[in-house]
């Protein structure tokens, strides 16, 4: 048998949208797909081809900052820094507990959230080293969870998801948790609107959970002080919970997955279906920050390349394209 | 129901037959295709039943690494469609519906056979087939020690005890290894001297140790009583993935404790078995989250207990043989997460009653079977068998419609268990022809199966998985085997070869974008083959074992990408042994080279496998 030693391909990629394909947990088959919104070109497995090695196990998220891309590979305990055009590796931050997202405060300081840890790691992206950690009060490692980060001024807001129910704020001057508010069981995602309010959706946990179980909900959170402004329980056809809340280009409308793809003005209280439930589990969602086009990821049977469907902001179907296994997160790269 | 039974009865009664003794011996195997593993292969194997099957049959053993989870795919079906039986007791884990064959040592096993498709219809849920193992009392006192690469140590002892009307034996086995083999990690690169290269890494965290104690006995003459008891403890670390970049301390460990017991009563044509199994799978995952700050993140226990009883009775009359059997199985599962205090507790009752009527002619026979199956659902399982024999040739054919109930985890696991799951079900049929030509025994089997409501665990947006009945699968294939033995002057030779071509494809689209229809199921090789030639001269034996598996797809859509397939591999093992007759005892010493050609291969993505390695075994047998 010829053992597949892998060469590195030097190709400059032309794209706007990066898709993180999680791959199957424990199989190490995560990958990156690229999509050009102008000409519709799609490229697959670009990290693997560019570096002659695997991306790893469960690519959770990607962040574009200071001209570089940062790929967070959850169950490989690593974050890769790659060139935005060639995807060749520039460095890696290793030995992270279970990294989920990275948020940049400067070129030399970033926060990394974790699952199964009561700490948010502080890293130096220039040296690729951990330089500190923020203890999240009330959390223990076995049920610790910090997820997405949104910065408003000098505060970074974080939703705490797995077996948690809070949104916390971190003072970036002191690197300490300054406030916390309960928003409902398991807030899955976080975004801010044009009025600097935060929005989250909760999945409500699961029936039989020791942590409790409620209906999923949509929650608006004010930041000064950190408080729940408004919350609405969501009743769905399939009851799969709610996830992936996003705002549009102008920040006046929120979109999220709740069986269907739902949309609501930030001044409204009743979400509407903009893309109907299609007897499949939508797994990822993003809104083009330039055009407000909607991109929805469908993992199909979770063991084949998923598909991303593109819609106009009014829900009109535009096109679809294949990506990798379990497309779960997106990253827009407009330079 | 009674009407159906009557129809089968009348169908079977419309035939005529011949000699009775043959009916008694042969009757229960009419039309069934059962592959018996060579007893000498069992005797010389010092590892697990997973290794035994891998080296001696063309079934695909999916191994997650050395001494790690090893499951078996029969005729393109899944791991949960293979049932394991020991001394007639179903030892499949009722929680997962699977058996980890790497945890079953061969030391206490005296016979092992594989029945596939319709031939396994007697075993509830065996849509793919059944691996049946038996432990009979050992005849001779025997001790062996094996030392090998990666700090492998295996010791075994068999002690026979004989009285006037009974035979007993006690077997013990202890095995441990560090499994710290080196491999070139093609899934990673590191920067060395300005070049990015694939690093040479050590398989981290692959150590195991296991201990087994087994008692089996035969008591009585008029009524034969066969008690057996098997205690087993298997402690292992779960090895790191090839794409793991963690360096901090961690614990990722699984301990399996099993206790299996059965008593069989046999008198003439009547058999009764009662038995029970108990298993505790303890899992712990702890990691250093900050310097010298180790936290337990997962710790769970999964307890499963089964109580089983079965009766078999046959009667021979007018060239017919009637087999009646009934089985009851009561399973209790308790899954408990010590960290989150989550878990479930559930009971499952199932029962079967089957009636099989065989009819014998001079050169052929046929039988029909009707099985009633309870356990959450009521199902009727029909099967029919045909066999024709001449002096040198045999033709066999069988057809059945079988069901497999969801496992207890499928139904109740927290989170994600789905109590609304339906049973998986489908047809399987096969036709085989075998012929003896001089010293050569040849056999060819064609098989076909169609199965609905396959269960697959899918992720949900809530972050956990849930099982759903989503697939339909069609399997077709050809299995060929050849065996030969004889002498060339003073050299004895023996050779067996098995080849298998299997198509196992999904036939149902999950959605309009589903590209898996008509594609081979992930991790099922189209081709698999084994070749085992052996030469013996005086007391010296040279054995070679060759196995090959074609590429396996990792995606249901069969995409031929870097991540989409695992390459074909060939595995060669060779051993040389010498036996000495030292009067009151025999001594044998053997040396084996495993993975002789240092093949680099994986059976599952991101799970490294060892290169060339060595084993030395010494065995003493008191005459």
């Amino acid at each position: 048998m010829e053992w597949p030693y892998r060469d590195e391909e030097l190709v400059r990629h032309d794209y706007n949208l990066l898709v993180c394909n999680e791959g199957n947990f424990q199989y190490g088959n995560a990958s990156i797909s690229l999509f050009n919104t102008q000409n519709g070109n799609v490229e697959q497995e670009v990290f693997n081809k560019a570096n002659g090695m695997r991306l790893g196990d469960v690519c959770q998220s990607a962040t574009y900052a200071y001209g570089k891309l940062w790929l967070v590979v959850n169950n490989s305990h690593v974050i890769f820094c790659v060139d935005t055009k060639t995807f060749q590796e520039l460095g890696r931050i290793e030995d992270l507990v279970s990294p989920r997202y990275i948020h940049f405060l400067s070129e030399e300081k970033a926060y990394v959230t974790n699952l199964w840890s009561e700490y948010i790691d502080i890293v130096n992206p220039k040296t690729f080293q951990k330089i500190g950690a923020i203890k999240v009060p009330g959390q223990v490692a076995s049920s610790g969870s910090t997820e997405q980060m949104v910065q408003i001024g000098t505060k970074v807001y974080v939703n705490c998801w797995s077996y948690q129910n809070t949104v916390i704020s971190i003072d970036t001057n002191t690197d300490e948790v300054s406030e916390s508010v309960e928003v409902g069981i398991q807030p899955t995602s976080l975004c801010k609107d044009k009025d600097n309010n935060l929005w989250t959706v909760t999945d409500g946990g699961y029936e039989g959970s020791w942590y409790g179980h409620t209906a999923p909900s949509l929650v608006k959170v004010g930041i000064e002080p950190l408080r729940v402004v408004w919350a609405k329980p969501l009743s769905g056809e399939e009851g799969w919970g709610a996830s992936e809340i996003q705002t549009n280009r102008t920040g006046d409308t929120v979109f999220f997955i709740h069986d269907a793809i739902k949309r609501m003005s930030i001044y409204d209280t009743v979400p509407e279906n903009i893309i109907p439930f299609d007897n499949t589990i939508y797994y990822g969602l993003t809104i083009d920050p330039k055009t407000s086009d909607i991109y929805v990821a469908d993992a199909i049977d979770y063991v084949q390349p998923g598909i991303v469907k593109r819609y106009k902001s009014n829900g009109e179907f535009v096109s679809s394209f294949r990506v990798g296994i379990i497309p779960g997160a997106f990253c827009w790269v407009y330079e | 129901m009674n009407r159906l039974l009557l129809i089968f009865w009348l169908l079977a009664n419309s035939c005529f037959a011949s000699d009775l003794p043959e009916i008694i011996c042969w009757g229960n195997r009419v039309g069934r295709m059962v592959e018996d593993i060579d007893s000498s292969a069992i005797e010389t194997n010092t590892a697990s039943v997973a290794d035994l099957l891998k080296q001696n049959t063309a079934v695909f053993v999916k191994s997650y690494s050395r001494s790690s989870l090893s499951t078996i795919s029969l005729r393109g079906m899944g791991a949960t469609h293979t049932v394991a039986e020991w001394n007639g007791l179903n030892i499949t884990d009722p929680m997962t519906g699977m058996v980890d064959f790497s945890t079953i040592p061969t030391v206490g096993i005296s016979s092992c056979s594989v029945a596939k498709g319709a031939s396994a219809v007697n075993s509830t849920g065996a849509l793919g087939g059944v691996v049946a193992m038996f432990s009979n009392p050992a005849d001779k006192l025997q001790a062996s020690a094996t030392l090998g690469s990666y700090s492998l140590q295996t010791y075994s002892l068999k002690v026979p005890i004989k009285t006037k009307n009974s035979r007993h034996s006690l077997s013990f086995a202890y095995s441990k290894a560090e499994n710290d083999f080196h491999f070139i990690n093609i899934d990673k690169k590191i920067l060395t001297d300005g070049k990015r290269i694939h690093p040479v890494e050590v398989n981290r965290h692959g150590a195991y140790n296991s201990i087994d104690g087994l008692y089996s006995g035969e008591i009585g003459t008029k009524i034969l009583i066969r008690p057996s008891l098997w205690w087993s403890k298997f402690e292992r670390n779960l090895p790191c993935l090839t794409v793991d970049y963690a360096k901090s301390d961690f614990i990722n460990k699984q301990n399996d404790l099993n206790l299996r017991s059965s008593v069989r009563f046999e008198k003439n044509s009547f058999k009764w078995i009662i038995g029970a199994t108990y298993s505790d799978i303890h899992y712990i995952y702890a990691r250093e989250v900050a310097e010298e700050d180790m936290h337990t993140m997962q710790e769970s226990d999964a307890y499963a207990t089964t109580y089983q009883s079965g009766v078999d009775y046959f009667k021979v009359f007018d060239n017919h043989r009637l087999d009646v059997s009934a089985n009851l199985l009561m399973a209790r599962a308790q899954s408990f997460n010590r960290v989150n205090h989550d878990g479930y507790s559930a009971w499952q009752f199932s029962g079967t009653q089957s009636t099989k009527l065989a009819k014998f002619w001079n050169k052929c026979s046929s039988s029909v079977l009707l099985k009633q199956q309870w356990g959450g659902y009521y199902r009727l399982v029909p099967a029919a068998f045909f066999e024709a024999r001449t002096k040198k040739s045999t033709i066999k054919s069988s057809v059945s419609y079988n069901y497999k109930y969801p496992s207890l985890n499928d139904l109740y696991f927290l989170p994600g268990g789905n109590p609304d799951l339906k049973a998986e079900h489908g047809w399987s049929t096969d036709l085989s022809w075998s012929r003896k030509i001089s010293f050569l025994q040849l056999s060819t089997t064609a098989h076909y199966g169609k199965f609905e409501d396959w269960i697959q665990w899918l992720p949900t947006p809530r972050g956990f998985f849930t099982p759903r009945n989503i697939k339909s699968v069609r399997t077709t294939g050809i299995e060929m085997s050849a065996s030969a033995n004889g002498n060339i002057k003073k050299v004895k030779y023996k050779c067996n070869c098995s080849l298998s071509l299997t198509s196992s494809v999904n036939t149902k689209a999950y959605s309009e974008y589903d590209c898996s229809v008509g594609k081979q199921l992930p991790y099922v090789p189209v081709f698999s083959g084994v070749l085992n030639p052996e030469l013996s001269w005086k007391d010296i034996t040279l054995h070679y074992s060759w196995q090959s598996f074609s590429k396996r797809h990792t995606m249901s859509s069969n995409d031929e990408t870097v991540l989409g397939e695992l390459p074909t591999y060939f595995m060669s093992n060779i051993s040389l042994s010498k036996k000495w007759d030292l009067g009151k005892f025999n001594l044998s010493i053997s040396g084996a080279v495993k993975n002789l050609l240092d093949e680099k291969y994986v059976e599952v993505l991101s799970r490294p496998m060892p290169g060339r390695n060595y084993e030395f075994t010494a065995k003493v047998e008191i005459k």
Side-chain angles (χ1 to χ4, degrees):
Chain A
M1 184 205 82
E2 190 182 337
W3 193 232
Y5 293 107
R6 290 162 197 158
D7 294 329
E8 297 166 16
E9 295 176 7
L10 185 61
V11 178
R12 291 184 68 79
H13 303 283
D14 185 18
Y15 67 99
N16 319 105
L17 178 61
L18 179 153
V19 185
C20 296
N21 305 299
E22 287 181 13
N24 301 110
F25 178 61
Q26 293 279 333
Y27 284 82
N29 56 351
S31 68
I32 297 292
S33 303
L34 303 177
F35 179 66
N36 186 313
T37 56
Q38 300 301 312
N39 58 26
N41 278 352
V42 186
E43 293 170 275
Q44 310 289 8
E45 296 186 358
V46 291
F47 180 93
N48 300 34
K49 291 172 186 169
N51 296 290
M53 66 174 188
R54 296 252 188 92
L55 175 58
D57 196 34
V58 186
C59 181
Q60 178 64 32
S61 65
T63 297
Y64 172 63
Y66 299 103
K68 293 170 188 167
L69 270 166
W70 299 78
L71 310 173
V72 182
V73 193
N74 174 253
N75 199 42
S76 285
H77 314 280
V78 70
I79 298 176
F80 288 110
C81 173
V82 296
D83 181 274
T84 319
K85 287 296 175 195
T86 65
F87 275 80
Q88 293 206 320
E89 185 189 353
L90 302 172
R92 61 183 80 159
I93 306 168
E94 297 179 320
D95 202 25
L96 298 158
V97 173
S98 183
R100 303 284 286 180
Y101 296 87
I102 183 167
H103 175 82
F104 283 77
L105 301 168
S106 71
E107 280 193 84
E108 295 182 354
K109 185 177 175 186
Y111 291 160
V112 176
T113 52
N114 281 297
L115 192 65
W116 280 351
S117 172
E118 68 270 50
Y119 295 99
I120 293 169
D121 290 314
I122 307 172
V123 297
N124 183 335
K126 272 203 168 166
T127 61
F128 305 107
Q129 297 295 316
K130 276 197 273 190
I131 54 172
I134 302 165
K135 172 90 172 71
V136 181
Q139 289 199 7
V140 292
S142 57
S143 59
S145 165
T146 46
E147 286 280 301
Q148 298 182 356
M149 290 169 278
V150 169
Q151 186 165 5
I152 302 173
T154 58
K155 296 273 182 70
V156 168
Y157 298 90
V158 186
N159 62 301
C160 305
W161 167 60
S162 180
Y163 299 108
Q164 301 295 332
N165 63 357
T166 58
V167 169
I168 58 172
S169 74
I170 300 166
D171 185 329
T172 57
N173 293 317
T174 60
D175 295 327
E176 287 180 349
V177 174
S178 54
E179 284 181 285
S180 170
V181 62
E182 289 186 9
V183 293
I185 292 176
Q186 300 199 156
T188 59
S189 48
L190 192 67
C191 66
K192 67 176 178 184
D193 66 21
K194 69 185 184 70
D195 297 336
N196 280 342
N197 287 305
L198 299 170
W199 289 83
T200 186
V201 282
T202 67
D203 66 25
Y206 56 87
E207 200 174 341
S209 167
W210 65 275
Y211 196 72
H213 174 233
T214 60
S217 60
L218 172 65
V219 186
K220 182 179 182 179
V221 179
I223 58 166
E224 286 179 354
L226 194 62
R227 68 197 187 283
V228 172
V229 175
W230 175 91
K232 181 182 177 60
L234 301 165
S235 58
E237 296 155 53
E238 296 295 307
W240 285 125
S243 60
E244 307 293 332
I245 194 158
Q246 313 272 320
T247 50
N248 61 349
R249 178 175 58 86
T250 49
D252 57 9
T253 305
V254 289
F255 294 80
F256 59 94
I257 300 173
H258 179 232
D259 300 341
I261 306 299
K262 299 205 168 163
R263 174 178 74 175
M264 193 185 80
S265 160
I266 61 170
Y267 304 113
D268 207 343
T269 55
V270 181
E272 60 172 343
N273 281 6
I274 186 163
I275 299 166
F277 176 66
D278 193 19
N279 202 30
T280 189
I281 303 166
Y282 295 128
Y283 201 74
L285 170 70
T286 190
I287 311 295
D288 187 333
K290 282 197 171 174
T291 64
S292 287
D293 278 2
I294 305 164
Y295 292 77
V296 183
D298 178 354
I300 310 176
D301 67 355
Y302 293 78
V303 280
Q304 66 179 288
I307 197 155
V308 173
K309 298 174 198 170
R310 180 185 185 179
Y311 301 85
K312 287 185 178 168
S313 57
N314 61 3
E316 183 189 332
F317 179 76
V318 177
S319 62
S320 64
F321 55 94
R322 288 268 163 196
V323 286
I325 293 180
I326 314 183
F330 298 91
C331 177
W332 290 97
V333 183
Y334 281 120
E335 289 184 307
Chain B
M1 171 52 221
N2 288 338
R3 187 179 296 175
L4 269 173
L5 270 176
L6 185 64
I7 292 168
F8 275 95
W9 180 274
L10 291 172
L11 272 173
N13 268 300
S14 62
C15 313
F16 301 93
S18 68
D19 50 336
L20 294 186
E22 190 173 22
I23 292 173
I24 294 169
C25 312
W26 176 39
N28 202 30
R29 278 200 169 196
V30 169
R32 289 183 70 216
M33 280 155 255
V34 181
E35 187 176 358
D36 294 312
I37 310 292
D38 190 336
S39 60
S40 66
I42 300 171
E43 187 72 16
T44 54
N45 188 296
T46 56
S48 65
V49 172
D51 288 306
L52 178 75
L53 294 172
K54 195 187 282 187
Q55 287 183 23
N56 293 282
T57 66
V59 303
F60 181 61
V61 180
K62 185 180 172 188
S63 171
Y64 281 70
S65 190
R66 197 174 143 105
S67 318
S68 292
L69 175 67
S70 299
T71 57
I72 285 172
S73 165
L74 295 173
R75 289 192 173 166
M77 301 294 283
T80 57
H81 304 126
T82 301
V83 167
E85 289 177 353
W86 171 69
N87 285 355
L89 206 63
N90 185 335
I91 58 167
T92 309
D93 180 3
M95 299 181 86
T96 60
M98 289 194 300
V99 183
D100 181 355
F101 286 91
S102 74
T103 64
I104 303 176
T106 47
V107 66
I109 305 295
S110 36
S111 70
C112 179
S113 63
V114 180
K116 301 170 195 167
S119 299
V121 72
N122 275 333
S123 304
T124 303
L127 295 187
V130 59
V131 177
M133 296 162 280
F134 282 90
S135 298
N136 294 323
D139 291 326
K140 291 173 182 166
L141 179 67
Q142 201 178 76
S144 77
T146 300
L147 299 177
S149 304
Y150 323 126
S151 310
L152 172 72
Q153 295 177 46
T154 300
Y155 306 98
S156 70
L157 177 68
K158 290 181 188 174
V159 183
I161 302 158
K162 284 183 186 173
T163 66
K164 191 182 172 191
N165 287 326
S166 67
R167 293 196 306 144
H168 310 265
S169 76
L170 292 167
S171 304
F172 303 95
Y174 172 77
S175 183
K176 71 175 206 173
E178 289 299 317
N179 287 332
D180 50 352
F181 55 86
H182 287 74
F183 65 101
I184 298 170
N185 189 345
I186 61 160
D187 297 335
K188 278 185 187 172
K189 278 197 173 173
I190 56 167
L191 197 62
T192 304
D193 298 331
K195 282 185 175 176
R196 286 163 51 80
I197 59 161
H198 293 300
V200 174
E201 293 194 342
V202 175
N203 181 49
R204 283 194 296 151
H205 221 250
Y208 81 94
N209 71 77
S210 70
I211 183 161
D212 285 76
L214 195 146
Y215 160 78
S216 58
E218 269 183 19
I219 305 161
T221 48
K222 287 184 178 173
I223 297 177
L224 193 61
I225 302 170
R226 295 176 188 265
S228 48
L229 180 69
W230 181 5
W231 175 86
S232 139
K233 191 175 181 186
F234 199 97
E235 295 181 349
R236 63 182 150 186
N237 293 312
L238 305 180
C240 294
L241 299 177
T242 54
V243 290
D244 194 325
Y245 292 83
K247 290 171 180 164
S248 308
D249 273 357
F250 71 98
I251 299 166
N252 193 12
K253 197 171 179 181
Q254 182 178 313
N255 296 343
D256 295 40
L257 176 70
N258 282 289
L259 185 63
R260 297 153 181 145
S261 64
S262 71
V263 184
R264 281 184 295 161
F265 301 89
E266 296 174 14
K267 185 180 182 188
N268 302 330
S269 56
F270 180 78
K271 268 188 213 167
W272 176 38
I273 178 172
I274 52 169
T277 66
Y278 168 80
S279 70
D280 171 13
I281 300 174
H282 179 79
Y283 172 72
I284 182 164
Y285 176 61
R287 183 171 280 280
E288 198 176 56
V289 294
E291 205 167 326
E292 295 187 0
D293 189 8
M294 182 78 88
H295 280 259
T296 301
M297 292 157 176
Q298 284 290 319
E299 186 173 7
S300 61
D301 276 290
Y303 305 101
T305 313
T306 69
Y307 305 97
Q308 303 177 38
S309 183
V311 287
D312 291 290
Y313 172 76
F314 73 86
K315 185 170 174 59
V316 176
F317 58 96
D318 298 338
N319 304 321
H320 291 76
R321 172 173 160 142
L322 176 69
D323 282 87
V324 181
S325 68
N327 286 282
L328 283 173
L329 191 149
M330 186 166 69
R332 187 182 187 207
Q334 285 177 290
S335 166
F336 182 66
N337 186 324
R338 291 174 184 274
V339 173
N340 291 344
H341 310 290
D342 254 349
Y344 77 88
S345 177
W347 286 91
Q348 193 174 54
F349 298 90
S350 60
T352 62
Q353 184 278 317
S354 71
T355 306
K356 185 177 181 182
L357 186 65
K359 160 81 179 122
F360 299 85
W361 292 268
N362 273 336
K363 290 184 177 175
C364 64
S365 59
S366 69
S367 65
V368 288
L369 177 146
L370 191 65
K371 187 164 87 168
Q372 301 175 84
Q373 201 165 295
W374 299 269
Y377 317 84
Y378 172 76
R379 296 284 185 262
L380 273 178
V381 175
F385 303 86
F386 173 79
E387 182 165 337
R389 298 204 293 185
T390 64
K391 202 171 181 182
K392 289 187 174 175
S393 294
T394 305
I395 291 172
K396 293 182 180 183
S397 182
S398 63
V399 59
S400 73
Y401 197 93
N402 206 349
Y403 294 85
K404 180 188 178 300
Y405 300 131
S407 70
L408 287 164
N409 277 357
D410 289 336
L411 294 167
Y412 306 115
F413 191 78
L414 265 182
N418 180 358
D420 298 324
L421 284 174
K422 291 181 276 188
E424 299 167 287
H425 55 100
W427 285 103
S428 58
T429 182
D430 44 35
L431 173 66
S432 88
W433 171 79
S434 59
R435 184 170 173 80
K436 195 168 182 353
I437 306 169
S438 178
F439 58 93
L440 203 59
Q441 179 76 42
L442 300 169
S443 169
T444 304
T445 303
H447 62 87
Y448 173 84
K450 185 139 180 33
F451 304 91
E452 305 291 335
D453 291 324
W454 261 47
I455 293 169
Q456 186 177 329
W457 282 71
L458 299 175
T460 69
R462 292 192 182 201
F464 57 81
F465 286 64
T466 193
R468 297 169 77 176
N469 297 96
I470 65 163
K471 283 195 168 158
S472 297
V473 171
R474 185 185 63 237
T475 62
T476 48
I478 294 175
E479 295 161 350
M480 287 173 281
S481 68
S483 62
N485 57 64
N487 298 304
I488 302 173
K489 293 186 177 172
K490 289 182 177 177
V491 177
K492 283 184 190 168
Y493 67 86
K494 190 162 82 172
C495 183
N496 64 65
C497 168
S498 297
L499 304 173
S500 175
L501 287 168
T502 309
S503 161
S504 180
V505 299
N506 177 33
T507 58
K508 184 177 168 187
Y510 179 63
S511 73
E512 62 176 304
Y513 297 102
D514 189 347
C515 294
S516 68
V517 175
K519 306 287 174 60
Q520 184 82 353
L521 295 188
Y523 287 102
V524 176
V526 170
F527 171 82
S528 56
V530 295
L531 175 68
N532 285 292
E534 186 178 288
L535 296 173
S536 301
W537 177 69
K538 293 186 175 174
D539 293 321
I540 300 171
T541 303
L542 179 67
H543 183 92
Y544 177 73
S545 163
W546 176 89
Q547 304 136 46
S548 175
F549 298 97
S550 62
K551 71 179 177 189
R552 284 85 63 217
H553 298 284
T554 64
M555 301 182 192
S556 62
S557 52
N558 292 183
D559 284 39
E560 294 188 351
T561 62
V562 173
L563 296 170
E565 55 188 32
L566 300 173
T568 299
Y569 75 88
F570 304 97
M571 182 56 47
S572 296
N573 301 320
I574 194 164
S575 68
L576 183 66
S577 62
K578 166 98 173 93
K579 210 182 232 184
W580 289 272
D581 187 339
L582 301 173
K584 288 187 175 176
F585 61 92
N586 291 327
L587 169 69
S588 69
I589 290 182
S590 66
V593 185
K594 303 273 177 91
N595 193 358
L596 177 70
L597 305 178
D598 203 21
E599 183 83 328
K600 294 171 179 64
Y601 71 107
V602 290
E603 288 176 358
V604 178
L605 272 173
S606 306
R607 306 284 178 168
M609 297 297 276
R612 185 183 301 121
N613 61 94
Y614 307 91
E615 283 180 16
F616 298 93
T617 301
K619 190 183 282 184
V620 178
E621 193 177 83
I622 308 293
K623 286 180 182 172

